[in-house]
Amino acid sequence: MQSPITLEALHILDAIERRGSFAAAANELDRAPSSLSYQIQKLEQDLDIMIFDRSGHKANFTEAGRLILERGRDILAATEKLVNDASVLANGWELDITLAFDGIIPVKNFFGLVAELGNVSSTRIKLQEEILAGCWESLNNGRADLLVAPRIDTLPQDVKAETIGTMEMIWVAAVDHYVHKRVGEFDEQAREKYRIVAIADTAREQPALTVNITQRQPRLTVTNFSAKVDALKLGLGIGTLPKELAQELIEEGVIKQIEGTKPQPIDIILVWKRNKIGEAKSWCIQYLMKHWKKQSKV
């Protein structure tokens, strides 16, 4: 007898639990909320059990529902590994590979890799923008095969990392922002007086990280790097930008570097898990280590 529990249903339950609601899960899965509700209700009927307790304002997993969720995640992980292993064994080159990168790094830095990979393999490549802890979560949870991001103080033990470049971040604000009228040292205490423009961490489960933000500082949080640049140009706050990009905007006369600040150098590293190396992943690692400094301006 065929089980009514499909992989699609397990993906839906996983998304609902992670996102906290049917509506948020539907948004992630690009489905209508009514479609998810129908599929879960049909599964409950087929199994003759209640997966969700709907007696309150919010649907919560029953004990049986949580058991299906937790065991289902094991099945999803095993299925993903099965597909990956079979692909590598059969083709040598993976069918798909995902390269995650921190949003402060321009996506155009990876277009050369995409073009060259297409000359040697039919591997499908996905370039996935992440922010802060979301970068590391994507690698840890298998959402990404490779990661290019600023170096962090403590690297996970199960990864290999290589420094492939450096970049500098500088403090800026719109040319008419009142921060430019200030005098004195621009330390953390001074920054607390000004709203900072930040990008939301893309981590789904790990605690979010913050950089250059004090606890009492007012902030505007946006969802991507492009929105941060627009907010800074409009004078909605202060923030840091990569020096090369900031320099272009400074020359256009739309932003200024804040007096009393110095560029903050950071290392850019390429990171991957030690235990999963296919031909495409290995090729991408070698390409980035060889060509990053030559063709990328970060």
Side-chain angles (χ1 to χ4, degrees):
M1 179 180 177
Q2 185 175 358
S3 171
I5 302 178
T6 63
L7 291 178
E8 182 183 19
L10 295 178
H11 278 296
I12 291 173
L13 294 176
D14 171 65
I16 292 171
E17 196 276 338
R18 283 188 295 99
R19 291 302 190 180
S21 70
F22 277 73
N27 184 60
E28 177 182 316
L29 299 173
D30 197 21
R31 299 268 298 274
S34 59
S35 172
L36 265 60
S37 297
Y38 171 78
Q39 190 154 346
I40 295 303
Q41 289 173 2
K42 185 176 186 306
L43 180 60
E44 289 177 323
Q45 293 174 0
D46 293 340
L47 294 173
D48 195 24
I49 62 172
M50 296 300 295
I51 296 176
F52 287 96
D53 179 0
R54 299 174 176 82
S55 59
H57 294 294
K58 177 183 176 183
N60 295 304
F61 280 92
T62 62
E63 289 188 9
R66 188 155 293 278
L67 175 65
I68 294 174
L69 169 69
E70 292 173 355
R71 299 283 179 85
R73 282 176 168 166
D74 292 338
I75 293 172
L76 291 175
T79 303
E80 182 179 352
K81 185 177 186 304
L82 170 62
V83 172
N84 181 74
D85 291 349
S87 172
V88 172
L89 181 63
N91 304 299
W93 292 80
E94 300 92 323
L95 295 178
D96 299 271
I97 190 168
T98 298
L99 191 160
F101 61 98
D102 191 283
I104 65 172
I105 300 170
V107 67
K108 65 181 181 181
N109 285 0
F110 305 102
F111 291 163
L113 177 146
V114 173
E116 291 297 323
L117 179 61
N119 292 331
V120 298
S121 170
S122 59
T123 297
R124 299 178 296 237
I125 185 166
K126 178 181 181 182
L127 301 177
Q128 180 170 293
E129 181 177 330
E130 299 282 355
I131 303 295
L132 296 171
C135 294
W136 300 94
E137 184 183 272
S138 69
L139 188 66
N140 183 59
N141 291 356
R143 298 202 310 270
D145 304 289
L146 295 168
L147 170 65
V148 177
R151 180 179 291 277
I152 58 176
D153 292 335
T154 303
L155 293 170
Q157 293 184 348
D158 62 340
V159 304
K160 174 73 173 174
E162 293 286 346
T163 300
I164 59 173
T166 59
M167 66 189 301
E168 291 183 327
M169 306 294 290
I170 63 173
W171 283 97
V172 299
V175 291
D176 57 352
H177 194 282
Y178 64 99
V179 70
H180 298 303
K181 299 178 181 180
R182 60 169 301 281
V183 294
E185 185 180 358
F186 195 66
D187 54 15
E188 286 192 3
Q189 186 175 0
R191 293 205 308 267
E192 287 183 350
K193 300 176 182 178
Y194 307 96
R195 180 197 291 127
I196 191 166
V197 182
I199 310 176
D201 197 311
T202 53
R204 302 175 184 178
E205 300 169 3
Q206 290 185 196
L209 297 177
T210 58
V211 177
N212 293 324
I213 301 176
T214 63
Q215 190 65 33
R216 293 183 294 177
Q217 187 173 19
R219 73 183 71 172
L220 164 64
T221 302
V222 294
T223 57
N224 56 60
F225 186 78
S226 177
K228 176 178 179 177
V229 173
D230 288 342
L232 289 171
K233 289 162 63 175
L234 288 171
L236 298 180
I238 65 173
T240 57
L241 290 178
K243 184 177 179 180
E244 284 73 17
L245 171 61
Q247 197 61 46
E248 293 177 8
L249 298 175
I250 290 171
E251 291 174 1
E252 292 175 13
V254 294
I255 65 171
K256 286 176 59 177
Q257 182 172 352
I258 298 173
E259 287 289 335
T261 64
K262 296 180 179 180
Q264 301 174 326
I266 55 176
D267 288 333
I268 300 300
I269 59 176
L270 169 63
V271 195
W272 65 93
K273 284 202 169 185
R274 300 173 185 269
N275 61 340
K276 290 184 178 180
I277 296 286
E279 291 292 334
K281 184 173 176 180
S282 178
W283 185 93
C284 289
I285 291 170
Q286 296 303 317
Y287 181 92
L288 288 171
M289 290 176 61
K290 181 179 180 181
H291 296 282
W292 181 267
K293 295 179 182 179
K294 293 181 180 180
Q295 71 174 33
S296 302
K297 293 184 66 177
V298 294

PDB file of all heavy atoms in Angstrom, residues 179-210:
ATOM      1  N   VAL A 179      24.828  64.277   9.907  1.00  0.00           N
ATOM      2  CA  VAL A 179      26.019  63.698  10.533  1.00  0.00           C
ATOM      3  C   VAL A 179      27.282  64.429  10.076  1.00  0.00           C
ATOM      4  O   VAL A 179      28.291  64.467  10.794  1.00  0.00           O
ATOM      5  CB  VAL A 179      26.130  62.184  10.204  1.00  0.00           C
ATOM      6  CG1 VAL A 179      26.476  61.963   8.733  1.00  0.00           C
ATOM      7  CG2 VAL A 179      27.181  61.520  11.095  1.00  0.00           C
ATOM      8  N   HIS A 180      27.224  65.024   8.883  1.00  0.00           N
ATOM      9  CA  HIS A 180      28.398  65.709   8.357  1.00  0.00           C
ATOM     10  C   HIS A 180      28.659  67.045   9.062  1.00  0.00           C
ATOM     11  O   HIS A 180      29.710  67.670   8.837  1.00  0.00           O
ATOM     12  CB  HIS A 180      28.245  65.938   6.856  1.00  0.00           C
ATOM     13  CG  HIS A 180      28.129  64.669   6.064  1.00  0.00           C
ATOM     14  ND1 HIS A 180      29.082  63.685   6.089  1.00  0.00           N
ATOM     15  CD2 HIS A 180      27.138  64.209   5.244  1.00  0.00           C
ATOM     16  CE1 HIS A 180      28.710  62.685   5.313  1.00  0.00           C
ATOM     17  NE2 HIS A 180      27.530  62.976   4.788  1.00  0.00           N
ATOM     18  N   LYS A 181      27.733  67.489   9.908  1.00  0.00           N
ATOM     19  CA  LYS A 181      27.923  68.737  10.643  1.00  0.00           C
ATOM     20  C   LYS A 181      28.583  68.512  11.994  1.00  0.00           C
ATOM     21  O   LYS A 181      28.920  69.454  12.696  1.00  0.00           O
ATOM     22  CB  LYS A 181      26.571  69.439  10.846  1.00  0.00           C
ATOM     23  CG  LYS A 181      25.884  69.818   9.549  1.00  0.00           C
ATOM     24  CD  LYS A 181      24.534  70.473   9.821  1.00  0.00           C
ATOM     25  CE  LYS A 181      23.828  70.833   8.517  1.00  0.00           C
ATOM     26  NZ  LYS A 181      22.503  71.464   8.755  1.00  0.00           N
ATOM     27  N   ARG A 182      28.743  67.239  12.369  1.00  0.00           N
ATOM     28  CA  ARG A 182      29.286  66.911  13.683  1.00  0.00           C
ATOM     29  C   ARG A 182      30.795  67.172  13.720  1.00  0.00           C
ATOM     30  O   ARG A 182      31.463  67.276  12.692  1.00  0.00           O
ATOM     31  CB  ARG A 182      29.023  65.443  14.028  1.00  0.00           C
ATOM     32  CG  ARG A 182      29.649  64.474  13.038  1.00  0.00           C
ATOM     33  CD  ARG A 182      29.598  63.044  13.539  1.00  0.00           C
ATOM     34  NE  ARG A 182      30.300  62.908  14.804  1.00  0.00           N
ATOM     35  CZ  ARG A 182      31.634  62.815  14.903  1.00  0.00           C
ATOM     36  NH1 ARG A 182      32.381  62.882  13.827  1.00  0.00           N
ATOM     37  NH2 ARG A 182      32.202  62.685  16.065  1.00  0.00           N
ATOM     38  N   VAL A 183      31.323  67.243  14.948  1.00  0.00           N
ATOM     39  CA  VAL A 183      32.768  67.350  15.162  1.00  0.00           C
ATOM     40  C   VAL A 183      33.160  66.358  16.243  1.00  0.00           C
ATOM     41  O   VAL A 183      32.330  65.916  17.045  1.00  0.00           O
ATOM     42  CB  VAL A 183      33.183  68.782  15.584  1.00  0.00           C
ATOM     43  CG1 VAL A 183      32.945  69.760  14.457  1.00  0.00           C
ATOM     44  CG2 VAL A 183      32.446  69.206  16.844  1.00  0.00           C
ATOM     45  N   GLY A 184      34.421  66.002  16.264  1.00  0.00           N
ATOM     46  CA  GLY A 184      34.893  65.079  17.286  1.00  0.00           C
ATOM     47  C   GLY A 184      35.017  63.664  16.773  1.00  0.00           C
ATOM     48  O   GLY A 184      34.723  63.361  15.610  1.00  0.00           O
ATOM     49  N   GLU A 185      35.468  62.773  17.656  1.00  0.00           N
ATOM     50  CA  GLU A 185      35.690  61.380  17.288  1.00  0.00           C
ATOM     51  C   GLU A 185      34.370  60.679  16.983  1.00  0.00           C
ATOM     52  O   GLU A 185      33.379  60.866  17.691  1.00  0.00           O
ATOM     53  CB  GLU A 185      36.413  60.652  18.427  1.00  0.00           C
ATOM     54  CG  GLU A 185      36.805  59.229  18.089  1.00  0.00           C
ATOM     55  CD  GLU A 185      37.517  58.552  19.257  1.00  0.00           C
ATOM     56  OE1 GLU A 185      37.716  59.222  20.288  1.00  0.00           O
ATOM     57  OE2 GLU A 185      37.848  57.354  19.126  1.00  0.00           O
ATOM     58  N   PHE A 186      34.370  59.876  15.942  1.00  0.00           N
ATOM     59  CA  PHE A 186      33.143  59.164  15.542  1.00  0.00           C
ATOM     60  C   PHE A 186      33.227  57.730  16.068  1.00  0.00           C
ATOM     61  O   PHE A 186      33.408  56.772  15.328  1.00  0.00           O
ATOM     62  CB  PHE A 186      32.997  59.177  14.021  1.00  0.00           C
ATOM     63  CG  PHE A 186      31.625  58.791  13.548  1.00  0.00           C
ATOM     64  CD1 PHE A 186      30.523  59.581  13.827  1.00  0.00           C
ATOM     65  CD2 PHE A 186      31.428  57.625  12.818  1.00  0.00           C
ATOM     66  CE1 PHE A 186      29.259  59.232  13.387  1.00  0.00           C
ATOM     67  CE2 PHE A 186      30.171  57.263  12.373  1.00  0.00           C
ATOM     68  CZ  PHE A 186      29.085  58.070  12.665  1.00  0.00           C
ATOM     69  N   ASP A 187      33.074  57.574  17.391  1.00  0.00           N
ATOM     70  CA  ASP A 187      33.139  56.257  18.020  1.00  0.00           C
ATOM     71  C   ASP A 187      31.730  55.699  18.196  1.00  0.00           C
ATOM     72  O   ASP A 187      30.753  56.269  17.700  1.00  0.00           O
ATOM     73  CB  ASP A 187      33.860  56.340  19.362  1.00  0.00           C
ATOM     74  CG  ASP A 187      33.247  57.392  20.300  1.00  0.00           C
ATOM     75  OD1 ASP A 187      32.107  57.842  20.024  1.00  0.00           O
ATOM     76  OD2 ASP A 187      33.890  57.749  21.286  1.00  0.00           O
ATOM     77  N   GLU A 188      31.616  54.572  18.898  1.00  0.00           N
ATOM     78  CA  GLU A 188      30.297  53.937  19.083  1.00  0.00           C
ATOM     79  C   GLU A 188      29.317  54.877  19.769  1.00  0.00           C
ATOM     80  O   GLU A 188      28.136  54.929  19.416  1.00  0.00           O
ATOM     81  CB  GLU A 188      30.442  52.643  19.885  1.00  0.00           C
ATOM     82  CG  GLU A 188      31.046  51.496  19.112  1.00  0.00           C
ATOM     83  CD  GLU A 188      30.892  50.177  19.843  1.00  0.00           C
ATOM     84  OE1 GLU A 188      30.256  50.172  20.938  1.00  0.00           O
ATOM     85  OE2 GLU A 188      31.390  49.156  19.350  1.00  0.00           O
ATOM     86  N   GLN A 189      29.782  55.601  20.772  1.00  0.00           N
ATOM     87  CA  GLN A 189      28.898  56.530  21.481  1.00  0.00           C
ATOM     88  C   GLN A 189      28.378  57.616  20.551  1.00  0.00           C
ATOM     89  O   GLN A 189      27.208  57.991  20.607  1.00  0.00           O
ATOM     90  CB  GLN A 189      29.645  57.143  22.666  1.00  0.00           C
ATOM     91  CG  GLN A 189      28.752  58.024  23.543  1.00  0.00           C
ATOM     92  CD  GLN A 189      29.484  58.528  24.774  1.00  0.00           C
ATOM     93  OE1 GLN A 189      30.656  58.228  24.977  1.00  0.00           O
ATOM     94  NE2 GLN A 189      28.807  59.296  25.604  1.00  0.00           N
ATOM     95  N   ALA A 190      29.250  58.098  19.670  1.00  0.00           N
ATOM     96  CA  ALA A 190      28.821  59.122  18.714  1.00  0.00           C
ATOM     97  C   ALA A 190      27.824  58.544  17.709  1.00  0.00           C
ATOM     98  O   ALA A 190      26.849  59.213  17.331  1.00  0.00           O
ATOM     99  CB  ALA A 190      30.039  59.685  17.985  1.00  0.00           C
ATOM    100  N   ARG A 191      28.034  57.298  17.270  1.00  0.00           N
ATOM    101  CA  ARG A 191      27.150  56.683  16.266  1.00  0.00           C
ATOM    102  C   ARG A 191      25.744  56.455  16.790  1.00  0.00           C
ATOM    103  O   ARG A 191      24.788  56.415  16.011  1.00  0.00           O
ATOM    104  CB  ARG A 191      27.742  55.347  15.790  1.00  0.00           C
ATOM    105  CG  ARG A 191      29.016  55.476  15.005  1.00  0.00           C
ATOM    106  CD  ARG A 191      29.203  54.284  14.078  1.00  0.00           C
ATOM    107  NE  ARG A 191      29.095  52.998  14.720  1.00  0.00           N
ATOM    108  CZ  ARG A 191      30.125  52.309  15.202  1.00  0.00           C
ATOM    109  NH1 ARG A 191      31.354  52.826  15.131  1.00  0.00           N
ATOM    110  NH2 ARG A 191      29.954  51.122  15.746  1.00  0.00           N
ATOM    111  N   GLU A 192      25.612  56.301  18.107  1.00  0.00           N
ATOM    112  CA  GLU A 192      24.293  56.024  18.682  1.00  0.00           C
ATOM    113  C   GLU A 192      23.285  57.133  18.417  1.00  0.00           C
ATOM    114  O   GLU A 192      22.084  56.923  18.530  1.00  0.00           O
ATOM    115  CB  GLU A 192      24.417  55.785  20.195  1.00  0.00           C
ATOM    116  CG  GLU A 192      25.041  54.438  20.552  1.00  0.00           C
ATOM    117  CD  GLU A 192      25.071  54.209  22.046  1.00  0.00           C
ATOM    118  OE1 GLU A 192      24.790  55.170  22.808  1.00  0.00           O
ATOM    119  OE2 GLU A 192      25.375  53.081  22.478  1.00  0.00           O
ATOM    120  N   LYS A 193      23.762  58.304  18.056  1.00  0.00           N
ATOM    121  CA  LYS A 193      22.864  59.440  17.828  1.00  0.00           C
ATOM    122  C   LYS A 193      22.229  59.396  16.437  1.00  0.00           C
ATOM    123  O   LYS A 193      21.331  60.187  16.145  1.00  0.00           O
ATOM    124  CB  LYS A 193      23.639  60.751  17.990  1.00  0.00           C
ATOM    125  CG  LYS A 193      24.255  60.936  19.360  1.00  0.00           C
ATOM    126  CD  LYS A 193      25.093  62.204  19.407  1.00  0.00           C
ATOM    127  CE  LYS A 193      25.766  62.373  20.762  1.00  0.00           C
ATOM    128  NZ  LYS A 193      26.630  63.588  20.808  1.00  0.00           N
ATOM    129  N   TYR A 194      22.699  58.493  15.591  1.00  0.00           N
ATOM    130  CA  TYR A 194      22.253  58.483  14.199  1.00  0.00           C
ATOM    131  C   TYR A 194      21.656  57.134  13.827  1.00  0.00           C
ATOM    132  O   TYR A 194      22.189  56.079  14.177  1.00  0.00           O
ATOM    133  CB  TYR A 194      23.435  58.795  13.271  1.00  0.00           C
ATOM    134  CG  TYR A 194      24.174  60.060  13.639  1.00  0.00           C
ATOM    135  CD1 TYR A 194      25.319  60.001  14.425  1.00  0.00           C
ATOM    136  CD2 TYR A 194      23.710  61.302  13.223  1.00  0.00           C
ATOM    137  CE1 TYR A 194      26.003  61.160  14.778  1.00  0.00           C
ATOM    138  CE2 TYR A 194      24.381  62.468  13.569  1.00  0.00           C
ATOM    139  CZ  TYR A 194      25.522  62.398  14.355  1.00  0.00           C
ATOM    140  OH  TYR A 194      26.180  63.535  14.710  1.00  0.00           O
ATOM    141  N   ARG A 195      20.544  57.175  13.091  1.00  0.00           N
ATOM    142  CA  ARG A 195      19.940  55.925  12.613  1.00  0.00           C
ATOM    143  C   ARG A 195      20.892  55.231  11.650  1.00  0.00           C
ATOM    144  O   ARG A 195      21.487  55.841  10.771  1.00  0.00           O
ATOM    145  CB  ARG A 195      18.629  56.217  11.892  1.00  0.00           C
ATOM    146  CG  ARG A 195      17.953  54.942  11.363  1.00  0.00           C
ATOM    147  CD  ARG A 195      16.907  55.230  10.310  1.00  0.00           C
ATOM    148  NE  ARG A 195      15.757  55.907  10.880  1.00  0.00           N
ATOM    149  CZ  ARG A 195      15.263  57.045  10.414  1.00  0.00           C
ATOM    150  NH1 ARG A 195      15.828  57.641   9.389  1.00  0.00           N
ATOM    151  NH2 ARG A 195      14.198  57.590  10.964  1.00  0.00           N
ATOM    152  N   ILE A 196      21.026  53.916  11.811  1.00  0.00           N
ATOM    153  CA  ILE A 196      21.863  53.131  10.921  1.00  0.00           C
ATOM    154  C   ILE A 196      20.983  52.322   9.974  1.00  0.00           C
ATOM    155  O   ILE A 196      19.903  51.856  10.356  1.00  0.00           O
ATOM    156  CB  ILE A 196      22.809  52.196  11.713  1.00  0.00           C
ATOM    157  CG1 ILE A 196      23.859  51.589  10.782  1.00  0.00           C
ATOM    158  CG2 ILE A 196      22.043  51.120  12.454  1.00  0.00           C
ATOM    159  CD1 ILE A 196      25.012  50.927  11.489  1.00  0.00           C
ATOM    160  N   VAL A 197      21.414  52.194   8.736  1.00  0.00           N
ATOM    161  CA  VAL A 197      20.698  51.389   7.750  1.00  0.00           C
ATOM    162  C   VAL A 197      21.361  50.012   7.700  1.00  0.00           C
ATOM    163  O   VAL A 197      22.563  49.904   7.427  1.00  0.00           O
ATOM    164  CB  VAL A 197      20.728  52.040   6.354  1.00  0.00           C
ATOM    165  CG1 VAL A 197      19.933  51.187   5.363  1.00  0.00           C
ATOM    166  CG2 VAL A 197      20.159  53.455   6.415  1.00  0.00           C
ATOM    167  N   ALA A 198      20.594  48.979   7.993  1.00  0.00           N
ATOM    168  CA  ALA A 198      21.130  47.615   8.063  1.00  0.00           C
ATOM    169  C   ALA A 198      20.338  46.703   7.143  1.00  0.00           C
ATOM    170  O   ALA A 198      19.191  46.990   6.784  1.00  0.00           O
ATOM    171  CB  ALA A 198      21.067  47.097   9.496  1.00  0.00           C
ATOM    172  N   ILE A 199      20.969  45.590   6.785  1.00  0.00           N
ATOM    173  CA  ILE A 199      20.298  44.571   5.969  1.00  0.00           C
ATOM    174  C   ILE A 199      19.895  43.416   6.873  1.00  0.00           C
ATOM    175  O   ILE A 199      20.698  42.962   7.702  1.00  0.00           O
ATOM    176  CB  ILE A 199      21.220  44.053   4.851  1.00  0.00           C
ATOM    177  CG1 ILE A 199      21.828  45.227   4.069  1.00  0.00           C
ATOM    178  CG2 ILE A 199      20.441  43.156   3.898  1.00  0.00           C
ATOM    179  CD1 ILE A 199      22.830  44.800   3.019  1.00  0.00           C
ATOM    180  N   ALA A 200      18.683  42.931   6.715  1.00  0.00           N
ATOM    181  CA  ALA A 200      18.178  41.854   7.564  1.00  0.00           C
ATOM    182  C   ALA A 200      18.979  40.571   7.360  1.00  0.00           C
ATOM    183  O   ALA A 200      19.267  40.177   6.223  1.00  0.00           O
ATOM    184  CB  ALA A 200      16.701  41.605   7.266  1.00  0.00           C
ATOM    185  N   ASP A 201      19.334  39.939   8.449  1.00  0.00           N
ATOM    186  CA  ASP A 201      20.024  38.656   8.412  1.00  0.00           C
ATOM    187  C   ASP A 201      19.093  37.628   7.771  1.00  0.00           C
ATOM    188  O   ASP A 201      17.902  37.569   8.084  1.00  0.00           O
ATOM    189  CB  ASP A 201      20.366  38.232   9.847  1.00  0.00           C
ATOM    190  CG  ASP A 201      21.419  37.150   9.911  1.00  0.00           C
ATOM    191  OD1 ASP A 201      21.265  36.142   9.182  1.00  0.00           O
ATOM    192  OD2 ASP A 201      22.366  37.278  10.693  1.00  0.00           O
ATOM    193  N   THR A 202      19.623  36.805   6.854  1.00  0.00           N
ATOM    194  CA  THR A 202      18.784  35.819   6.167  1.00  0.00           C
ATOM    195  C   THR A 202      18.731  34.466   6.880  1.00  0.00           C
ATOM    196  O   THR A 202      18.156  33.521   6.347  1.00  0.00           O
ATOM    197  CB  THR A 202      19.281  35.597   4.727  1.00  0.00           C
ATOM    198  OG1 THR A 202      20.680  35.280   4.746  1.00  0.00           O
ATOM    199  CG2 THR A 202      19.048  36.848   3.882  1.00  0.00           C
ATOM    200  N   ALA A 203      19.311  34.368   8.074  1.00  0.00           N
ATOM    201  CA  ALA A 203      19.246  33.107   8.822  1.00  0.00           C
ATOM    202  C   ALA A 203      17.804  32.774   9.161  1.00  0.00           C
ATOM    203  O   ALA A 203      17.026  33.646   9.559  1.00  0.00           O
ATOM    204  CB  ALA A 203      20.077  33.202  10.094  1.00  0.00           C
ATOM    205  N   ARG A 204      17.446  31.505   8.988  1.00  0.00           N
ATOM    206  CA  ARG A 204      16.083  31.058   9.287  1.00  0.00           C
ATOM    207  C   ARG A 204      15.983  30.467  10.690  1.00  0.00           C
ATOM    208  O   ARG A 204      14.946  30.534  11.330  1.00  0.00           O
ATOM    209  CB  ARG A 204      15.646  30.010   8.263  1.00  0.00           C
ATOM    210  CG  ARG A 204      15.688  30.498   6.815  1.00  0.00           C
ATOM    211  CD  ARG A 204      15.368  29.376   5.846  1.00  0.00           C
ATOM    212  NE  ARG A 204      15.487  29.795   4.455  1.00  0.00           N
ATOM    213  CZ  ARG A 204      15.296  28.996   3.418  1.00  0.00           C
ATOM    214  NH1 ARG A 204      14.995  27.711   3.619  1.00  0.00           N
ATOM    215  NH2 ARG A 204      15.407  29.441   2.186  1.00  0.00           N
ATOM    216  N   GLU A 205      17.053  29.862  11.150  1.00  0.00           N
ATOM    217  CA  GLU A 205      17.028  29.175  12.430  1.00  0.00           C
ATOM    218  C   GLU A 205      18.096  29.673  13.392  1.00  0.00           C
ATOM    219  O   GLU A 205      17.878  29.736  14.588  1.00  0.00           O
ATOM    220  CB  GLU A 205      17.191  27.659  12.210  1.00  0.00           C
ATOM    221  CG  GLU A 205      16.076  27.060  11.351  1.00  0.00           C
ATOM    222  CD  GLU A 205      16.381  25.634  10.930  1.00  0.00           C
ATOM    223  OE1 GLU A 205      17.425  25.095  11.346  1.00  0.00           O
ATOM    224  OE2 GLU A 205      15.580  25.052  10.172  1.00  0.00           O
ATOM    225  N   GLN A 206      19.273  30.012  12.888  1.00  0.00           N
ATOM    226  CA  GLN A 206      20.347  30.479  13.754  1.00  0.00           C
ATOM    227  C   GLN A 206      20.063  31.888  14.260  1.00  0.00           C
ATOM    228  O   GLN A 206      19.354  32.651  13.608  1.00  0.00           O
ATOM    229  CB  GLN A 206      21.679  30.487  12.991  1.00  0.00           C
ATOM    230  CG  GLN A 206      22.220  29.116  12.683  1.00  0.00           C
ATOM    231  CD  GLN A 206      23.593  29.195  12.026  1.00  0.00           C
ATOM    232  OE1 GLN A 206      24.063  28.241  11.442  1.00  0.00           O
ATOM    233  NE2 GLN A 206      24.247  30.344  12.124  1.00  0.00           N
ATOM    234  N   PRO A 207      20.625  32.254  15.422  1.00  0.00           N
ATOM    235  CA  PRO A 207      20.482  33.634  15.913  1.00  0.00           C
ATOM    236  C   PRO A 207      21.081  34.611  14.916  1.00  0.00           C
ATOM    237  O   PRO A 207      22.137  34.359  14.332  1.00  0.00           O
ATOM    238  CB  PRO A 207      21.287  33.616  17.224  1.00  0.00           C
ATOM    239  CG  PRO A 207      21.321  32.187  17.651  1.00  0.00           C
ATOM    240  CD  PRO A 207      21.351  31.389  16.384  1.00  0.00           C
ATOM    241  N   ALA A 208      20.398  35.715  14.718  1.00  0.00           N
ATOM    242  CA  ALA A 208      20.868  36.721  13.768  1.00  0.00           C
ATOM    243  C   ALA A 208      22.124  37.405  14.287  1.00  0.00           C
ATOM    244  O   ALA A 208      22.337  37.525  15.494  1.00  0.00           O
ATOM    245  CB  ALA A 208      19.774  37.758  13.521  1.00  0.00           C
ATOM    246  N   LEU A 209      22.967  37.841  13.351  1.00  0.00           N
ATOM    247  CA  LEU A 209      24.174  38.585  13.686  1.00  0.00           C
ATOM    248  C   LEU A 209      23.986  40.056  13.340  1.00  0.00           C
ATOM    249  O   LEU A 209      23.188  40.400  12.474  1.00  0.00           O
ATOM    250  CB  LEU A 209      25.377  38.033  12.907  1.00  0.00           C
ATOM    251  CG  LEU A 209      25.801  36.594  13.184  1.00  0.00           C
ATOM    252  CD1 LEU A 209      26.955  36.218  12.257  1.00  0.00           C
ATOM    253  CD2 LEU A 209      26.213  36.409  14.637  1.00  0.00           C
ATOM    254  N   THR A 210      24.719  40.915  14.040  1.00  0.00           N
ATOM    255  CA  THR A 210      24.752  42.329  13.690  1.00  0.00           C
ATOM    256  C   THR A 210      26.204  42.773  13.616  1.00  0.00           C
ATOM    257  O   THR A 210      27.050  42.261  14.343  1.00  0.00           O
ATOM    258  CB  THR A 210      24.005  43.202  14.722  1.00  0.00           C
ATOM    259  OG1 THR A 210      24.596  43.007  16.023  1.00  0.00           O
ATOM    260  CG2 THR A 210      22.533  42.849  14.767  1.00  0.00           C
TER     261      THR A 210
END
